[in-house]
Amino acid sequence: MSAMTRAPLYLAYVALACTLLSGAVSVLAVRRHPDFLHFGSFFFLFLSGAASIGAGVWALLAGLTVSDRFELGLPWLDWHLRIDPLSGFFLLLLGTLALAISLYGPSYTRQFARGPAAQPLPPLGIFTALFVLGMQMLLLANDALVFMIFWEMMSLAGYFLVVYQHQHTANRQAAFLYLLLAHVGALVILLAFGVLAAFGGGLTFDQMRVAHLSPLWATLAFAFAFIGFGTKAGMVPLHVWLPEAHPVAPSHISALMSGAMIKMGIYGIVRLSYDLIGNVRWEWGMAVLIIGTASSVLGVLYALMQHDMKRLLAYHSIENIGIILMGLGLSMIFLGNGHIMLGTLGLVAALYHTLNHALFKGLLFLGAGAVDYRTHAHDLDQMGGLIHRMPITALFFLVGCVAISALPPFNGFVSEWLTFQTALQAPALHDGVLRTIIPIAAALLALTGALAAACFVKAFGIAFLGKPRSRSVGRAREVPAGMLAGMGLLGTLCLLLGVFPTTMIKLMAPITQLLVRDELPSAAAQGWLWLTPISSDVASYSAPCVLIAIVVVFALGYFFLKRGTAAPRRAYAWDCGFGHLTQRMQYTSTAFSQPIRRVFAGIWKVDEHIETLASKGTIPHVTSLHYSLYTQDWSWLKCYLPIGRLVLAAANRIGFIQTGNIHTYLKFSFVTLIVFLWIVS
Amino acid sequence: MDRQLTAWALAAAQALLFIAAAPLLAGWLQRVKCHMQNRAAPAVWQPYRDLLKLTRKKLLLADNASWLFRAVPYVVFGATLLAAAVVPLIAVRLPTAAIADVIVLVGFFALARFFTALAGLDIGTAFGGMGASREMMVAALAEPAMLMAVFTLSMTAHTTNLSVATEYILNAGLVLRPSFLFALLALAMVAVAESSRVPVDNPATHLELTMLHEAMILEYGGRHLALIEWATQIKLMIYSVLIVDFFFPWGIATEFTAMALAGGIVAVAAKLMGLAVLLVVWETVMAKMRLFRVPQFLGFALMLGLLAMLTHVVLET
């Protein structure tokens, strides 16, 4: 094979080398050279991100599949690597985020080196590099061994990043929960690979691809893969670790986790079910669709109740994973019923949303980090009025909010629109139950979208608009240029992917060619201006026209209404004639979501307490009033806590064998050995 | 090429006619309502006079207003204008319908609402927050109901393109479909809620604790208020035209001849006037609901939308 065709893989190797260098620089840099660390570590991460993007785009544009083999590790277990359009797409996603955080990181991480709670920076750099390396390698893996090694590396490095600010108890608890569920998930993934390896006769993906599985075994392998990768992706009800772990990590790591790490779960599901197991069945699609719908609706409803900015964003990751799974589920249902073109459409919608979510969620986490950097506020109810103090951050955060709320002409809308279009093709199916369930799922997707918009009106409105609710927020100023550049990169991409969807869908054609041997020829049949996924008579959307129309309205408004008028006069807001308005009279985030809390009561366990203290006297009046509100996740209370109690009880029961006597332990070992020998012989 | 140019010119003319006629519909509505309630009625031109008056006023801004507050009226108007451009008013087969289908149309309304709610929060008064919070709650319930109703129609017509769907219903002739009946009811209920009419909201009040839409835009004045008011009038007209297009499209022009287009204008004007009278009767006999009754009202609309969908799946395919 010529060097040109192998170029994507070589570029990927460059990316891996740069990631390693980024980690190595962090090791070498001692406390005396913090600047060396800031710039060296993030510089190599920047190069690594750029090389990842290059490798990914090259693999996508050329539609190449290149594999390679290294004789590493055990003598009979070579390492197999491969880059194909699917892994290229995820490398592109990962690279873009790495690029953004390498711009953002140098300024952002400075705060950890100063102040009373100063942290050593080298671990942050090392584990960030290992985290990225794990993701890059698992995308390139072409056998189960390499995949699992680097899957674990990603999970473990993630643990150290979550626990980076370990002086807080909450962080340590969150990190432990993360580690626990990451390993439960990894075990289940191992089972899925076990089934595939048994039928394929080896650990390489090439052997698994050609294996013939009976429908029952294939379904079993799929179920293991779905549960295992779904744990990492954060689908309901395996999501509990996500809203704990993502908020406590440093913000650029949260962006990487929510943007890229949970997408590795999606990658795993797509890789195993479409590529390795193959012959997708519609029953799997049903399971994925139902879990996806539940995740999206519950994710957004839980998000609405949060008042910690990063926790709110973390719950929205669950929602968006749900939307991605809905697209995948629809795709599987259509493929299983023989509608290849519609299955392709669903797959494109899901992958498009995967990329979109990486971009806008990354942007939003970086924005939350910027607010935290200047104000040290996490609670929305402490913020307010930041649009005056941090106007550029506010603009970028607004872009992220509009994109995640699925509003035209930004990117979130395109992928949700494609999901809707897939769902609307339900009449093509023959099964009456499927034809009924799919539109109901679509209605729930609409509910999710509307609730997400409500939630981001709250997040942006309470944090950035109005008047400051605390002094530190009132004194905030704009963040350094590097942080703005990181956010600006992602914000621009959100707009571009929203306005030029046809270009992106064309770029994604090799992925669907690889996985389902089909593409969407009609999507761009009417030119780049018109997105027509099925045909121009069925549905069309022209995002460039929308953007142009809004710009024209601004221009006309300027010329006909604004030009030549006097500068506006400023005055007090209407106070009902009662005197001065204070910032405490504004709606808080808790107040904002009160109507929704009342309408959907029962989704959460809500504990609401009002304590009033009345003064004694002839005319009693309330002297103090204390309001407290706790909302909790039912799945935690009804599912995880009972399991935890069960495990603890079981551990207590078998605790009697723990005598502390070495002779007893040796006896146990001896008996175990005998039993094993007996089994083997 | 020449034919395409004519089509685009006609489409632009239709969009302009749409936004120009919207205040007239509001004026007519107001006039009929006054007559119905035994009050002295203003002229039908009154909304135009009000808009003109507002644009001439000097702009007054609250001291805490940010750049977002000043940009919102243009975003809201732009989104509403786009929505008006894609709805067939007097003729089908116009090229602007391809810019956005019915899902994008719902997206435009969501975009306008998102920014209006943000503007409500920008000043930092309790009124704005109250309006924004309530409006988003109502929208969260109305949007799925609306989409269920239009999904029923688009599944019947095998398209989400408004022009193609209207033409399909036009060509199908007078067929009584049970699913359409449910969808019509659902869409009508959503239209009432979304265009801030009684019983969900009351457009006539300004200082009442029950208000939704008006609370968000309380701090607006001058040309900003004019744009927002105009956009509200256009939105009401869009919902009316949608109902007319989907359920009674007869009379709409299918070819671009002067006769057909004139017929289309007369037909749509007559239908809208009739629909406005129905709305007035509804608003006169109904009282404004308590806020937490609204979820029941919209839940009923959602159920009707679901029922429409199920009847379509079970009975009609």
Side-chain angles (χ1 to χ4, degrees):
Chain A
M1 226 183 276
S2 75
M4 267 317 257
T5 51
R6 296 189 66 82
L9 201 58
Y10 293 149
L11 260 175
Y13 293 157
V14 173
L16 293 173
C18 288
T19 320
L20 275 174
L21 275 174
S22 159
V25 167
S26 305
V27 178
L28 296 176
V30 279
R31 268 166 191 270
R32 286 194 302 263
H33 306 291
D35 280 335
F36 185 55
L37 178 108
H38 288 310
F39 292 107
S41 173
F42 283 110
F43 174 70
F44 284 115
L45 198 61
F46 182 89
L47 291 184
S48 164
S52 283
I53 294 174
V57 170
W58 200 319
L60 279 172
L61 278 178
L64 283 174
T65 300
V66 194
S67 21
D68 208 346
R69 205 175 64 155
F70 287 96
E71 290 177 6
L72 285 169
L74 296 171
W76 61 91
L77 281 174
D78 295 342
W79 285 20
H80 297 81
L81 299 184
R82 176 174 121 144
I83 186 166
D84 62 18
L86 181 65
S87 45
F89 178 76
F90 281 86
L91 274 177
L92 166 67
L93 179 156
L94 175 62
T96 314
L97 277 174
L99 212 61
I101 71 156
S102 64
L103 292 171
Y104 181 90
S107 311
Y108 177 74
T109 50
R110 269 171 210 278
Q111 61 172 323
F112 297 117
R114 62 183 181 217
Q119 294 278 336
L121 282 176
L124 190 60
I126 295 164
F127 288 115
T128 308
L130 288 180
F131 188 58
V132 174
L133 183 73
M135 289 194 272
Q136 284 170 334
M137 277 299 285
L138 80 88
L139 290 176
L140 293 174
N142 199 27
D143 66 54
L145 180 72
V146 176
F147 187 93
M148 286 314 292
I149 289 174
F150 287 96
W151 181 268
E152 281 300 293
M153 184 194 258
M154 169 185 83
S155 293
L156 288 176
Y159 169 79
F160 288 106
L161 292 170
V162 171
V163 84
Y164 178 64
Q165 284 169 302
H166 53 83
Q167 58 272 48
H168 306 292
T169 321
N171 296 13
R172 294 198 299 271
Q173 284 174 347
F176 178 72
L177 187 64
Y178 160 77
L179 196 65
L180 188 69
L181 275 164
H183 280 98
V184 171
L187 271 179
V188 185
I189 296 170
L190 213 52
L191 288 177
F193 278 128
V195 173
L196 285 171
F199 280 90
L203 285 175
T204 65
F205 286 176
D206 291 329
Q207 284 164 312
M208 293 180 186
R209 272 185 199 103
V210 293
H212 285 286
L213 278 78
S214 67
L216 190 68
W217 280 108
T219 304
L220 197 65
F222 168 76
F224 284 139
F226 184 48
I227 294 170
F229 289 116
T231 314
K232 186 56 87 186
M235 70 187 189
V236 167
L238 300 165
H239 65 282
V240 286
W241 64 273
L242 200 154
E244 304 296 326
H246 288 198
V248 299
S251 287
H252 65 300
I253 300 300
S254 310
L256 212 48
M257 285 189 152
S258 254
M261 184 185 75
I262 61 173
K263 303 304 173 336
M264 297 302 138
I266 299 295
Y267 170 76
I269 293 173
V270 174
R271 174 64 82 193
L272 260 78
S273 45
Y274 285 82
D275 189 18
L276 300 190
I277 306 176
N279 293 328
V280 174
R281 302 179 63 82
W282 68 264
E283 293 92 341
W284 309 351
M286 274 308 274
V288 177
L289 180 68
I290 290 170
I291 295 276
T293 313
S295 300
S296 61
V297 174
L298 290 177
V300 71
L301 281 171
Y302 280 113
L304 265 162
M305 290 306 116
Q306 308 306 319
H307 49 89
D308 180 301
M309 173 90 97
K310 286 174 74 178
R311 236 177 121 81
L312 181 147
L313 294 177
Y315 270 112
H316 271 286
S317 294
I318 300 171
E319 177 225 329
N320 280 285
I321 287 293
I323 296 172
I324 295 167
L325 289 180
M326 285 175 87
L328 278 184
L330 289 171
S331 159
M332 289 177 182
I333 289 175
F334 281 118
L335 283 177
N337 279 299
H339 297 281
I340 307 294
M341 203 280 279
L342 296 176
T344 312
L345 179 60
L347 185 60
V348 167
L351 289 177
Y352 206 127
H353 199 74
T354 308
L355 181 59
N356 287 344
H357 179 246
L359 297 176
F360 54 64
K361 189 49 69 66
L363 170 60
L364 289 169
F365 266 116
L366 295 187
V371 172
D372 177 36
Y373 180 77
R374 281 301 188 214
T375 67
H376 301 290
H378 299 275
D379 193 342
L380 283 173
D381 291 341
Q382 302 293 317
M383 300 179 192
L386 284 169
I387 196 169
H388 302 287
R389 315 287 312 178
M390 306 167 76
I392 306 175
T393 306
L395 176 67
F396 291 146
F397 199 83
L398 181 63
V399 167
C401 289
V402 175
I404 198 173
S405 306
L407 298 173
F410 284 87
N411 60 352
F413 180 76
V414 176
S415 42
E416 282 198 30
W417 187 76
L418 288 172
T419 313
F420 273 126
Q421 289 298 342
T422 319
L424 278 179
Q425 300 306 313
L429 297 167
H430 292 294
D431 190 317
V433 178
L434 286 179
R435 274 205 314 235
T436 321
I437 284 185
I438 292 176
I440 294 176
L444 288 172
L445 179 59
L447 177 68
T448 307
L451 287 173
C455 195
F456 279 96
V457 167
K458 170 179 121 169
F460 187 81
I462 303 292
F464 286 92
L465 304 177
K467 291 174 187 156
R469 292 177 179 80
S470 64
R471 286 176 82 188
S472 63
V473 171
R475 286 197 301 258
R477 56 202 171 86
E478 193 54 272
V479 291
M483 289 171 74
L484 291 179
M487 290 187 273
L489 173 70
L490 294 177
T492 315
L493 285 173
C494 280
L495 183 63
L496 286 180
L497 279 186
V499 178
F500 302 107
T502 42
T503 317
M504 192 61 215
I505 288 175
K506 262 193 211 160
L507 193 65
M508 285 161 71
I511 308 175
T512 53
Q513 276 290 0
L514 175 82
L515 296 178
V516 294
R517 315 249 175 282
D518 198 8
E519 54 186 280
L520 295 174
S522 55
Q526 311 288 318
W528 61 273
L529 203 56
W530 308 96
L531 176 62
T532 49
I534 298 159
S535 81
S536 59
D537 264 356
V538 173
S540 56
Y541 168 49
S542 172
C545 288
V546 174
L547 188 67
I548 292 167
I550 291 178
V551 172
V552 165
V553 166
F554 267 96
L556 289 179
Y558 178 78
F559 275 110
F560 288 111
L561 294 176
K562 186 156 187 249
R563 203 174 49 148
T565 56
R569 194 159 65 82
R570 295 272 175 172
Y572 289 124
W574 170 236
D575 56 10
C576 303
F578 280 105
H580 199 57
L581 292 168
T582 70
Q583 70 273 18
R584 294 209 33 172
M585 294 174 188
Q586 301 175 89
Y587 255 50
T588 59
S589 71
T590 315
F592 188 90
S593 45
Q594 189 265 350
I596 291 173
R597 189 163 61 241
R598 225 174 123 170
V599 174
F600 293 95
I603 299 281
W604 314 271
K605 182 176 178 351
V606 181
D607 289 317
E608 204 171 5
H609 294 290
I610 301 172
E611 284 173 34
T612 53
L613 206 69
S615 73
K616 298 193 179 77
T618 44
I619 308 166
H621 62 277
V622 175
T623 50
S624 89
L625 192 145
H626 183 72
Y627 175 81
S628 60
L629 175 80
Y630 299 99
T631 49
Q632 274 183 298
D633 194 330
W634 278 120
S635 70
W636 180 250
L637 295 172
K638 292 285 169 195
C639 180
Y640 286 86
L641 285 185
I643 291 176
R645 279 198 292 270
L646 209 67
V647 170
L648 209 60
N652 278 333
R653 282 288 168 80
I654 60 167
F656 78 93
I657 62 170
Q658 190 187 17
T659 56
N661 187 341
I662 188 89
H663 300 293
T664 325
Y665 293 159
L666 284 174
K667 227 180 289 170
F668 282 138
S669 310
F670 181 69
V671 172
T672 315
L673 209 61
I674 295 290
V675 170
F676 274 134
L677 282 174
W678 179 65
I679 291 172
V680 169
S681 63
Chain B
M1 200 62 217
D2 199 34
R3 201 181 144 64
Q4 252 197 335
L5 212 64
T6 328
W8 274 101
L10 262 176
Q14 178 182 269
L16 285 179
L17 179 70
F18 204 117
I19 59 169
L24 191 62
L25 181 69
W28 165 255
L29 199 67
Q30 190 60 35
R31 199 173 166 81
V32 179
K33 196 171 182 175
C34 287
H35 281 306
M36 186 80 85
Q37 301 175 347
N38 288 329
R39 293 187 281 141
V44 281
W45 318 112
Q46 191 57 40
Y48 293 103
R49 292 182 194 146
D50 290 343
L51 289 179
L52 208 62
K53 178 190 75 184
L54 282 173
T55 51
R56 284 187 189 143
K57 283 203 166 191
K58 192 179 171 186
L59 197 59
L60 194 63
L61 284 175
D63 49 8
N64 197 40
S66 65
W67 56 264
L68 186 69
F69 188 80
R70 303 177 70 171
V72 163
Y74 299 98
V75 175
V76 170
F77 189 78
T80 317
L81 174 68
L82 270 165
V86 299
V87 179
L89 178 70
I90 49 173
V92 289
R93 292 183 200 164
L94 287 177
T96 41
I99 293 178
D101 67 349
V102 68
I103 304 171
V104 189
L105 184 81
V106 175
F108 288 146
F109 288 143
L111 181 71
R113 188 187 311 117
F114 185 87
F115 277 96
T116 319
L118 284 185
L121 287 166
D122 188 39
I123 305 299
T125 63
F127 274 124
M130 187 189 297
S133 158
R134 292 176 173 181
E135 174 90 354
M136 294 317 283
M137 184 266 283
V138 170
L141 298 166
E143 233 180 78
M146 162 114 187
L147 279 174
M148 272 324 245
V150 296
F151 281 176
T152 310
L153 306 169
S154 48
M155 276 187 169
T156 311
H158 305 292
T159 175
T160 53
N161 184 309
L162 283 162
S163 176
V164 181
T166 309
E167 211 178 340
Y168 175 89
I169 296 160
L170 195 63
N171 293 336
L174 246 179
V175 190
L176 186 66
R177 292 191 185 83
S179 65
F180 269 42
L181 213 60
F182 289 124
L184 170 63
L185 282 174
L187 195 61
M189 289 171 81
V190 171
V192 164
E194 285 272 34
S195 38
S196 334
R197 313 296 301 190
V198 173
V200 174
D201 196 356
N202 190 349
T205 61
H206 263 290
L207 273 180
E208 199 185 316
L209 284 177
T210 54
M211 63 193 189
L212 282 80
H213 185 255
E214 293 294 322
M216 286 192 294
I217 60 167
L218 193 64
E219 293 299 326
Y220 273 116
R223 56 175 184 263
H224 292 162
L225 186 62
L227 281 176
I228 289 182
E229 291 283 339
W230 196 4
T232 313
Q233 290 159 358
I234 297 172
K235 192 174 172 186
L236 176 68
M237 178 137 156
I238 292 173
Y239 272 106
S240 316
V241 174
L242 268 187
I243 290 175
V244 164
D245 277 350
F246 277 146
F247 302 101
F248 321 99
W250 298 282
I252 199 164
T254 48
E255 53 202 43
F256 305 148
T257 59
M259 270 306 284
L261 292 174
I265 293 178
V266 172
V268 82
K271 285 183 281 190
L272 286 180
M273 280 165 79
L275 206 59
V277 172
L278 276 180
L279 181 62
V280 165
V281 173
W282 165 268
E283 287 204 313
T284 309
V285 299
M286 291 290 278
K288 162 91 178 65
M289 276 180 194
R290 276 200 305 125
L291 181 69
F292 285 104
R293 282 287 168 83
V294 172
Q296 290 174 14
F297 178 81
L298 289 171
F300 183 53
L302 181 62
M303 279 303 123
L304 284 173
L306 264 177
L307 216 56
M309 174 71 70
L310 293 184
T311 10
H312 171 73
V313 169
V314 176
L315 297 180
E316 293 163 21
T317 46

